[in-house]
């Protein structure tokens, strides 16, 4: 790629981009290279380029967020280079398990993820697509939050979003679906849904079609995770369920409050 990176293998293919493990030919180290999967000559493609450029400019200082190393354009395509994370997605780990995570292990994953969100939120960055496939458990034991492709800054215009809400519907908060007031609490909502899925291997809200799923998220009452997984301790169940309460005023106000409960027990944050 542009004489700078040698492709080692294809890592991921998504709606927004294609990811490769590459060798940086000058530094001799492994890096992750993401290629924009869009036609910049179209209107939607131009919007995608703006989102891609925004992702490349994000400089979030956190041990739970891969370091951005640069970006470049080559042969009419756009690329972002970031730190390579040697690990496996939480989604793949759970799918390969016979039983869900033990409470202590899930608590650790949620705590590390919340810390990464706290670091991002301090800098005003909202991820908007927190889900198990975007949480990587590195071989070092660190949880890394990846794929900041649809992130935005708090208070930033949503003009780059197009006509439909961006993200993964099962993990979207009610305000995300309504496209109003998406903020740090919305990321925590998604993390709570991710925790629920990890604990139960089920979504708290599910339906056969998109419109019905929207209605479920906006109006249905989920079965507690601890009811579906009786091995989940009550304390962690309460924390997970509080993360994605429908009413924002009843959720954790920020990631630090969730971390306090994860550290000290449900109710410690008030």
């Amino acid at each position: 790629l542009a004489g700078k990176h040698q492709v080692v293998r294809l890592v991921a293919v998504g709606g927004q981009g294609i990811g490769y493990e590459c060798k940086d030919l000058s530094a001799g180290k492994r890096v992750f290279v993401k290629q924009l999967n869009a036609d910049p000559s179209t209107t939607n493609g131009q919007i995608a380029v703006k989102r891609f450029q925004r992702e490349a400019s994000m400089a979030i200082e956190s041990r739970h967020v891969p370091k951005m190393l640069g970006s470049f354009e080559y042969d009419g395509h756009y690329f972002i280079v970031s730190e390579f994370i040697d690990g496996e997605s939480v989604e793949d780990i759970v799918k390969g398990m016979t039983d869900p995570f033990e409470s202590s292990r899930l608590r650790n994953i949620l705590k590390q993820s919340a810390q990464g969100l706290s670091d991002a939120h301090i800098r005003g960055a909202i991820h908007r697509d927190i889900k198990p496939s975007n949480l990587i458990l590195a071989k070092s034991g660190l949880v890394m939050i990846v794929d900041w492709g649809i992130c935005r800054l708090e208070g930033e215009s949503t003009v780059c979003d197009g006509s439909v809400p961006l993200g993964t519907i099962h993990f979207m908060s009610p305000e995300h679906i309504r496209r109003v007031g998406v903020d740090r609490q919305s990321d925590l909502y998604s993390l709570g849904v991710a925790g629920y899925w990890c604990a139960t291997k089920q979504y708290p809200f599910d339906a056969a079609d998109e419109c019905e799923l929207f209605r479920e998220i906006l109006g249905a009452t989920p079965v507690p995770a601890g009811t579906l997984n009786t091995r989940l301790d009550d304390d962690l169940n309460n924390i997970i369920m509080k993360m994605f309460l429908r009413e924002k005023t009843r959720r954790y106000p920020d990631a630090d409050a969730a971390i306090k409960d994860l550290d000290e027990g449900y109710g410690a944050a008030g």
Side-chain angles (χ1 to χ4, degrees):
L1 299 175
K4 299 177 181 179
H5 305 96
Q6 180 180 12
V7 175
V8 175
R9 65 185 175 98
L10 177 67
V11 175
V13 178
Q16 301 293 317
I18 304 169
Y20 302 95
E21 177 188 348
C22 292
K23 180 180 180 181
D24 185 311
L25 296 178
S26 60
K29 64 180 182 180
R30 287 190 295 175
V31 294
F32 180 76
V33 177
K34 181 178 178 180
Q35 177 185 342
L36 176 62
N37 187 21
D39 180 359
S41 67
T42 66
T43 300
N44 286 338
Q46 291 167 8
I47 292 174
V49 168
K50 289 180 181 178
R51 285 200 300 265
F52 203 69
Q53 292 170 336
R54 179 175 54 193
E55 179 183 4
S57 68
M58 287 288 177
I60 300 168
E61 296 180 13
S62 173
R63 63 202 296 256
H64 300 291
V65 178
K67 293 180 178 64
M68 286 291 176
L69 302 176
S71 62
F72 63 95
E73 186 178 350
Y74 173 66
D75 197 24
H77 298 286
Y78 294 84
F79 299 86
I80 294 174
V81 184
S82 62
E83 173 188 9
F84 179 78
I85 306 302
D86 192 3
E88 189 175 8
S89 76
V90 170
E91 178 183 61
D92 287 343
I93 293 171
V94 172
K95 285 183 175 179
M97 297 168 63
T98 302
D99 298 312
F101 282 126
E102 294 180 356
S103 294
S104 59
R105 191 180 185 195
L106 179 54
R107 184 184 294 268
N108 179 51
I109 289 171
L110 292 176
K111 179 184 171 182
Q112 290 196 56
S113 301
Q115 185 59 65
L117 288 177
S118 176
D119 295 337
H121 294 163
I122 287 171
R123 291 159 180 81
I126 309 302
H127 188 282
R128 298 200 296 171
D129 200 19
I130 295 295
K131 55 186 178 181
S133 62
N134 283 339
L135 303 175
I136 304 297
L137 184 57
K139 289 183 178 179
S140 65
L142 280 178
V143 174
M144 307 294 287
I145 303 174
V146 301
D147 197 353
W148 294 77
I150 62 170
C151 69
R152 71 175 180 85
L153 297 175
E154 281 188 300
E156 185 181 31
S157 168
T158 58
V159 68
C160 290
D161 286 357
S163 59
V164 296
L166 297 173
T168 307
I169 298 175
H170 279 102
F171 300 92
M172 283 185 186
S173 63
E175 63 271 17
H176 195 157
I177 290 172
R178 294 188 178 107
R179 303 189 71 187
V180 58
V182 176
D183 57 17
R184 58 190 66 192
Q185 282 183 286
S186 310
D187 274 351
L188 281 174
Y189 178 103
S190 300
L191 181 59
V193 176
Y196 186 103
W197 184 86
C198 290
T200 66
K201 291 193 172 184
Q202 296 182 39
Y203 299 113
F205 307 106
D206 204 4
D209 64 77
E210 192 173 281
C211 290
E212 183 58 32
L213 180 54
F214 283 152
R215 284 192 286 269
E216 286 281 313
I217 293 171
L218 294 174
T221 300
V223 176
T227 300
L228 298 174
N229 176 7
T230 56
R231 298 194 304 170
L232 184 71
D233 69 56
D234 291 341
D235 188 82
L236 186 54
N237 172 73
N238 290 334
I239 292 170
I240 289 172
M241 300 305 292
K242 182 173 180 175
M243 281 185 179
F244 70 97
L245 287 170
R246 185 169 296 109
E247 300 82 4
K248 291 179 73 171
T249 55
R250 297 176 61 204
R251 294 181 215 157
Y252 290 106
D254 52 41
D256 290 342
I259 292 169
K260 186 173 180 64
D261 270 13
L262 287 163
D263 264 337
E264 302 176 20
Y266 179 69

